């Protein structure tokens, strides 16, 4: 029975990939040699938020439910989004040019999360190279990078709004994830907590993980998995991504024009997408959490947007 289910899920996933391939090729560009590669995202309308029954099906803890409610329609104008998460190499150019410093990063000690003053984007506590997504960066760091990129290129770079992020992550789909509803397929599309994580990460033996192998215990080089229908990689998994929006407990009175929500608790900002250490329930298009703007975490990075005028 298990193999019948897996076969059905693989068939559905392949149909999704075929549908993505049928789309017109995305417009991709770079504004400078060290700039992120960008993809033009077309304007459109989508339904933002969790579908009824999703959180129960995914067995999300009661205290974390209803944060993505109510569902609501959102109109999104054309913009450009990073094809990949900002890499360590790209961030290195910014940090070394501007002298951006760090005072440590929260890491998993094997028993709890604690701030380690010796960890930063150069050394988040696990092996990376410059093709991996940068980690251990705060919202303040990510925003400073976007401002520097704007000054360097003369273009309007920024973080994605939360609505833009979900629109870009869904890429025209209405399912839990851009490859379908099933977390069992995650290893082909995203770098999350998997069997490799459980074996290789200290203290992770009792973590909830996907029953598959995505080949990486920690971050993977950007673009290691399948893109979504917009041609964006790692919209779920690898590292959490900061957005512009202030934190609100739910979507009551949320903007419907794709803009950033500037009201609410603005010391906290919304992070999206899950990371290499998250179980499938955290790798969902609608899943959202809030975090202080100043905090750096070893599984948290970002992606940039650029405002485009038609």
């Amino acid at each position: 029975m298990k193999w019948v289910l897996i076969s059905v899920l693989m068939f559905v996933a392949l149909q999704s990939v075929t549908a993505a391939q049928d789309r017109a090729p995305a417009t991709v560009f770079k504004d400078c040699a060290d700039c992120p590669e960008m993809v033009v995202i077309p304007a459109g309308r989508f339904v933002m938020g969790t579908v009824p029954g999703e959180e129960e099906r995914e067995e999300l803890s009661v205290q974390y439910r209803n944060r993505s409610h109510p569902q609501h329609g959102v109109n999104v104008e054309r913009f450009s989004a990073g094809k990949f998460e900002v890499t360590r190499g790209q961030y290195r150019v910014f940090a070394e040019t501007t002298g951006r410093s760090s005072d440590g990063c929260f890491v998993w000690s094997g028993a709890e999360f604690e701030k380690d003053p010796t960890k930063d984007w150069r050394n988040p506590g696990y092996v990376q190279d410059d093709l991996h997504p940068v980690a251990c960066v705060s919202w303040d760091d990510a925003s400073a990078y976007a401002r520097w990129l704007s000054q360097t290129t003369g273009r309007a770079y920024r973080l994605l709004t939360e609505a833009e992020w979900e629109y870009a992550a869904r890429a025209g789909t209405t399912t839990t994830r851009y490859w379908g509803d099933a977390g069992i397929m995650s290893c082909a599309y995203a770098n999350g907590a998997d069997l490799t994580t459980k074996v290789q990460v200290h203290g992770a033996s009792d973590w909830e993980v996907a029953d598959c192998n995505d080949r990486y215990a920690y971050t993977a080089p950007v673009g290691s998995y399948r893109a979504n229908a917009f041609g964006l990689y790692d919209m779920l998994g690898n590292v959490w991504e900061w957005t512009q929006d202030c934190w609100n407990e739910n979507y009551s009175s949320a903007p419907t024009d794709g803009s950033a929500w500037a009201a609410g608790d603005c010391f906290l900002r919304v992070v999206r997408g899950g990371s290499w250490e998250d179980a499938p329930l955290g790798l969902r298009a609608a899943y959202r959490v809030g975090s202080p703007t100043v905090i750096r975490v070893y599984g948290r990075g970002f992606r940039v947007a650029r405002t485009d005028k038609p």
Side-chain angles (χ1 to χ4, degrees), residues 53 110 138:
S138 67

Side-chain angles (χ1 to χ4, degrees), residues 271-293:
V271 285
R272 289 297 214 110
S275 76
W276 58 265
E277 64 175 348
D278 286 284
L281 68 83
L283 273 60
R284 294 183 291 118
Y287 192 56
R288 60 194 295 267
V289 299
S291 182
T293 59

Side-chain angles (χ1 to χ4, degrees), residues 69-194:
H69 293 177
Q71 280 193 297
H72 56 290
V74 179
N75 292 309
V76 178
E77 294 185 357
R78 192 186 79 178
F79 70 102
S80 294
K83 184 176 181 179
F84 310 109
E85 293 161 331
V86 172
T87 66
R88 193 181 74 168
Q90 290 162 347
Y91 190 83
R92 178 189 300 280
V93 176
F94 154 73
E96 293 180 350
T97 299
T98 63
R100 188 81 182 179
S101 61
S102 176
D103 63 352
C105 182
F106 278 86
V107 301
W108 177 249
S109 68
E112 62 181 353
F113 273 103
E114 57 186 17
K115 188 173 183 179
D116 184 338
T118 70
K119 299 297 186 290
D120 62 11
W121 63 268
R122 299 176 186 83
N123 174 23
Y126 47 87
V127 176
Q128 285 190 312
D129 61 34
D130 281 352
L131 295 180
H132 284 239
V134 69
C136 284
V137 289
S138 67
W139 184 88
D140 290 340
D141 294 330
S143 298
Y145 175 88
R147 289 194 299 272
W148 172 79
L149 204 56
S150 297
Q151 294 165 1
T152 301
T153 64
R155 303 288 185 173
Y157 281 90
R158 54 181 174 77
L159 300 180
L160 281 72
T161 71
E162 185 178 10
E164 287 174 337
W165 187 94
E166 187 167 329
Y167 176 70
R170 290 188 179 279
T173 65
T174 59
T175 49
T176 308
R177 303 163 178 91
Y178 48 81
W179 59 85
D181 286 320
I184 195 171
M185 297 296 298
S186 64
C187 288
Y189 292 87
N191 178 23
D194 68 326

